[in-house]
């Protein structure tokens, strides 16, 4: 389990998520792609936490868990984001009868 | 080997599932593939010994987020229209491909400051290893690295050093030939110690706790070379006394008859305090091995013993704390990250209120 290949896997997942976020019309797919990106970042965080020891804090207990703490909070924020995002999607659908985000142009100009 | 297979299987499933999430036309199937990706990420967490996060991943992502997404898909009834691309999908694809290429280049090009034990030394890293060993006061290993020898035997850098040192364990008695086994030289003792540490590391990883002992092969050969001499009863009584610095003897390896025995505290505590003891052939305390600081005066059995500056390869630091991970995250959350915890709780509350306000019927 090398650090490098975990980071590359994380990068692949992140790029797939980024592509989905930028290229899809369905708002729910965009949100799912965002979740993919969050997961990619989480994988990278845990990989760093496992393989990299930050200099200067080596004697601090639990130093190897800092990255995992980040992941805990990222998961929290991701859950909040998906709840709010889906609420917006449903509100959009109620007002416009569509979840196509290219139709959601109310705030343009 | 199992880890390799698991990693590649999880990677393939994860990347395939992620591609499916983005490319499959049916949004509902995309959501199910997203669940697959979440599960593979949980599996990767397990592989990286982050079991707690794997459980959290399953509970929150698979249990809550995926259900929420499926509900939203059902409520919006756009399954038949599907998952169409917008006008920008071609530039977006090119852009993300370039970004991925940049990621891969940066990851491969960076010299990650990984925590290398001797296990991970690759050919071409000799200079790096030498610097780290010297920083730890392990000049003798550094010299061995420079002269491409360990214990007087040549090192094949193509082959990984840990395994070679473990193989050298069998060679130590031959190094001892012509020398009194009561007075092993610093070089030989250090070599033994390193071999023990390497072996002990493996045992630590197996059991999730610290039980250091000698490599069985070395013990047998050494016993054959020196003959059995059990540890004195006085020492055992002193070690088991209520005021003994060693609270409990976890394990006494048969190697106690020979040269050195490891003693480990009740919970396998290693960090910070004097918990490692090297006991000589007569049952007297030879060295206390404290990670990063291996000298001082100790009192055992009514005797004050001056401890020499003993070279110890400090490969345990990281691994030990990994063994403590299950309780570690809770401790960190309550102690170090309390403010962040509170902020996250407030954020979740705000999210609940916000979602209610957004979806309210007018």
């Amino acid at each position: 389990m090398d650090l490098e290949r975990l980071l590359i896997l994380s990068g692949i997942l992140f790029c797939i998520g980024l592509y989905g976020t930028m290229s899809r019309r369905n708002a729910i797919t965009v949100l799912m792609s965002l979740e993919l990106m969050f997961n990619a970042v989480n994988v990278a965080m845990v990989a760093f936490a496992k393989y990299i020891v930050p200099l200067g804090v080596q004697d601090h207990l639990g130093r190897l868990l800092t990255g995992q703490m980040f992941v805990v909070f990222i998961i929290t924020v991701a859950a909040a984001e998906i709840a709010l995002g889906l609420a917006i999607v449903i509100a959009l659908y109620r007002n416009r009868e569509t979840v196509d985000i290219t139709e959601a142009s109310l705030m343009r100009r | 080997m199992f880890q390799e297979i698991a990693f590649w299987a999880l990677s393939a499933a994860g990347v395939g599932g992620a591609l499916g999430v983005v490319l499959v036309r049916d949004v509902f199937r995309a959501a199910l593939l997203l669940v697959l990706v979440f599960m593979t990420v949980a599996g990767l967490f397990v592989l990286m010994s982050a079991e707690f996060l794997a459980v959290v991943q399953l509970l929150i992502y698979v249990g809550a987020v995926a259900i929420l997404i499926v509900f939203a898909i059902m409520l919006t009834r756009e399954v038949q229209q599907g998952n169409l691309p917008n006008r920008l999908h071609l530039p977006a694809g090119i852009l993300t491909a370039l970004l991925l290429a940049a990621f891969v280049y940066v990851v491969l090009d960076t010299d990650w400051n990984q925590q290398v034990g001797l296990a991970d030394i690759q050919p071409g890293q000799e200079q790096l290893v030498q610097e780290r060993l010297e920083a730890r006061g392990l000049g003798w290993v550094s010299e061995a690295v420079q002269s491409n020898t360990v214990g007087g035997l040549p090192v094949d850098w193509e082959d990984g050093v840990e395994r070679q040192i473990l193989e050298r364990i069998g060679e130590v008695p031959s190094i001892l030939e012509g020398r009194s086994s009561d007075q092993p030289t610093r070089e030989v003792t250090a070599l033994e110690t390193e071999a023990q540490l390497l072996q002990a590391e493996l045992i630590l990883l197996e059991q999730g706790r610290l039980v250091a002992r000698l490599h069985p092969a070395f013990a047998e050969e050494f016993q054959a070379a020196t003959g059995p001499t059990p540890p004195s009863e006085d020492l055992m009584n002193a070690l088991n006394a209520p005021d003994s610095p060693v609270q409990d003897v976890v394990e006494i390896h048969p190697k106690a008859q020979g040269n050195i025995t490891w003693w480990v505290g009740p919970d396998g505590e290693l960090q910070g305090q004097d918990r490692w003891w090297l006991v000589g052939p007569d049952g007297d305390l030879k060295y206390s091995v404290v990670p990063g600081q291996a000298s001082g005066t100790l009192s055992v059995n009514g005797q004050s013993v001056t401890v020499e500056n003993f070279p110890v390869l400090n490969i345990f630091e990281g691994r030990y704390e990994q063994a403590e991970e299950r309780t570690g995250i809770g401790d960190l959350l309550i102690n170090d990250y309390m403010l962040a915890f509170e902020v996250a709780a407030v954020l979740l509350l705000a999210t609940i209120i916000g979602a209610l306000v957004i979806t309210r019927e007018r």
Side-chain angles (χ1 to χ4, degrees):
Chain A
M1 295 292 285
D2 292 322
L3 175 67
E4 280 85 0
R5 64 191 195 189
L6 279 163
L7 290 183
I8 288 172
L9 172 68
S10 160
I12 292 172
L13 284 178
F14 186 87
C15 285
I16 293 172
L18 185 62
Y19 172 73
T21 309
M22 290 196 296
S23 70
R24 296 291 124 175
R25 285 185 169 192
N26 190 317
I28 294 175
T29 311
V30 170
L31 284 174
M32 289 196 288
S33 303
L34 272 176
E35 291 301 309
L36 277 183
M37 289 161 75
F38 275 119
N39 271 277
V41 171
N42 287 352
V43 170
M45 285 280 182
V46 179
F48 278 128
K50 182 169 169 60
Y51 288 103
I52 305 280
V53 179
L55 293 173
V57 287
Q58 292 200 350
D59 296 330
H60 189 283
L61 180 67
R63 69 201 148 77
L64 287 177
L65 298 177
T66 311
Q68 297 194 15
M69 291 308 302
F70 270 91
V71 173
V72 169
F73 290 113
I74 289 174
I75 288 176
T76 311
V77 171
E81 171 263 333
I82 197 78
L84 215 48
L86 290 173
I88 291 172
V89 169
I90 288 175
L92 176 71
Y93 182 76
R94 183 182 296 147
N95 289 330
R96 300 232 164 180
E97 292 290 314
T98 181
V99 289
D100 188 340
I101 47 175
T102 56
E103 302 283 321
S105 54
L106 191 66
M107 292 177 76
R108 190 185 292 169
R109 261 182 295 152
Chain B
M1 186 60 197
F2 171 74
Q3 284 195 347
E4 293 282 313
I5 295 170
F7 173 79
W8 290 113
L10 287 173
S11 302
V15 172
L19 283 173
V21 170
V22 175
L23 298 178
V24 163
R25 194 171 165 129
D26 184 345
V27 184
F28 189 75
R29 286 189 184 154
L32 294 185
L33 284 169
L34 188 67
V35 173
L36 173 70
V37 177
F38 290 158
M39 286 182 172
T40 59
V41 170
L44 286 171
F45 285 167
V46 172
L47 275 185
M48 289 185 277
S49 54
E51 296 90 355
F52 176 75
L53 287 182
V55 173
V56 169
Q57 170 91 5
L58 283 180
L59 287 180
I60 293 185
Y61 274 113
V62 181
V65 169
I67 302 297
L68 205 58
I69 288 174
V70 169
F71 260 104
I73 292 170
M74 294 302 182
L75 286 174
T76 51
R77 285 180 305 183
E78 285 238 340
V79 183
Q80 62 274 29
Q81 195 192 336
N83 186 9
L84 296 173
N86 61 17
R87 283 173 299 148
L88 286 175
H89 70 100
L90 205 62
I94 294 167
L95 196 66
T96 47
L98 287 176
L99 186 65
L100 180 59
F103 274 159
V104 173
Y105 174 74
V106 168
V107 165
L108 294 180
D109 191 52
T110 306
D111 174 28
W112 299 106
N113 184 22
Q114 291 192 44
Q115 187 188 25
V116 284
L118 286 180
D120 303 320
I121 300 169
Q122 298 296 321
Q125 284 187 316
E126 293 89 343
Q127 184 67 30
L128 181 72
V129 172
Q130 190 179 328
E131 287 168 10
R132 293 193 186 153
L133 289 175
E134 274 172 4
R136 292 168 177 173
L138 290 169
W140 68 273
V141 182
S142 173
E143 285 167 23
V145 170
Q146 261 180 337
S147 62
N148 277 346
T149 57
V150 171
L153 295 163
V155 172
D156 179 10
W157 286 104
E158 295 292 327
D159 203 16
V161 177
E162 181 190 39
R163 202 170 60 75
Q164 294 185 48
I165 289 175
L166 282 174
E167 285 172 359
R168 297 282 183 277
I169 295 166
E171 305 281 354
V172 173
S174 68
I175 299 170
L176 283 174
E177 276 178 12
R179 295 171 181 159
S180 164
S181 59
D182 295 334
Q183 298 289 328
T185 63
R186 173 69 53 82
E187 179 194 1
V188 170
T189 315
L191 183 62
E192 285 173 7
T193 307
E194 178 167 357
Q196 287 167 344
L197 284 167
L198 289 169
Q199 182 62 24
E201 181 189 32
L202 302 178
I203 294 164
L204 169 68
L205 292 179
E206 277 171 16
Q207 303 185 348
R209 60 178 305 205
L210 189 67
V211 178
R213 59 184 174 190
L214 281 175
H215 189 275
F218 176 56
E220 285 172 16
E221 293 201 30
F222 201 93
Q223 187 180 338
T226 59
T229 326
S232 71
E233 280 187 29
D234 286 347
L235 175 78
M236 290 302 300
N237 294 335
L239 288 174
N240 290 324
D243 57 346
S244 162
V246 181
Q247 292 302 316
D248 185 21
V249 178
V250 172
E251 181 170 359
I252 308 171
H253 195 269
K255 190 60 177 70
Q257 304 128 355
N259 188 12
I260 293 170
T261 304
W262 293 91
W263 308 88
V264 183
D267 299 314
E269 302 103 325
L270 173 62
Q271 63 220 6
Q273 296 305 316
D274 295 348
R275 290 291 178 183
W276 283 52
W277 310 86
L278 296 177
V279 181
D282 305 320
D284 57 325
L285 187 69
K286 275 202 166 170
Y287 306 107
S288 158
V289 183
V290 181
Q293 169 214 331
S295 56
T297 306
L298 300 158
S299 177
V300 161
N301 207 2
Q303 293 176 328
S304 181
V305 184
T306 304
V307 177
E308 293 180 36
N309 190 9
F310 192 76
V312 174
L313 190 58
N314 191 6
I315 57 179
F316 281 100
E317 270 187 9
R319 307 300 181 99
Y320 180 73
E321 285 170 10
Q322 275 183 5
E324 290 291 301
E325 176 180 304
R326 286 166 201 84
T327 56
I329 278 197
D331 284 346
L332 276 179
L333 205 54
I334 295 301
N335 295 321
D336 291 11
Y337 294 92
M338 197 61 203
L339 182 63
F341 185 67
E342 304 265 1
V343 169
V346 172
L347 176 76
L348 284 175
L349 184 66
T351 308
I352 295 169
I353 296 170
L356 286 175
V357 168
I358 289 170
T359 54
R360 188 185 48 175
E361 289 282 354
R362 290 190 176 81

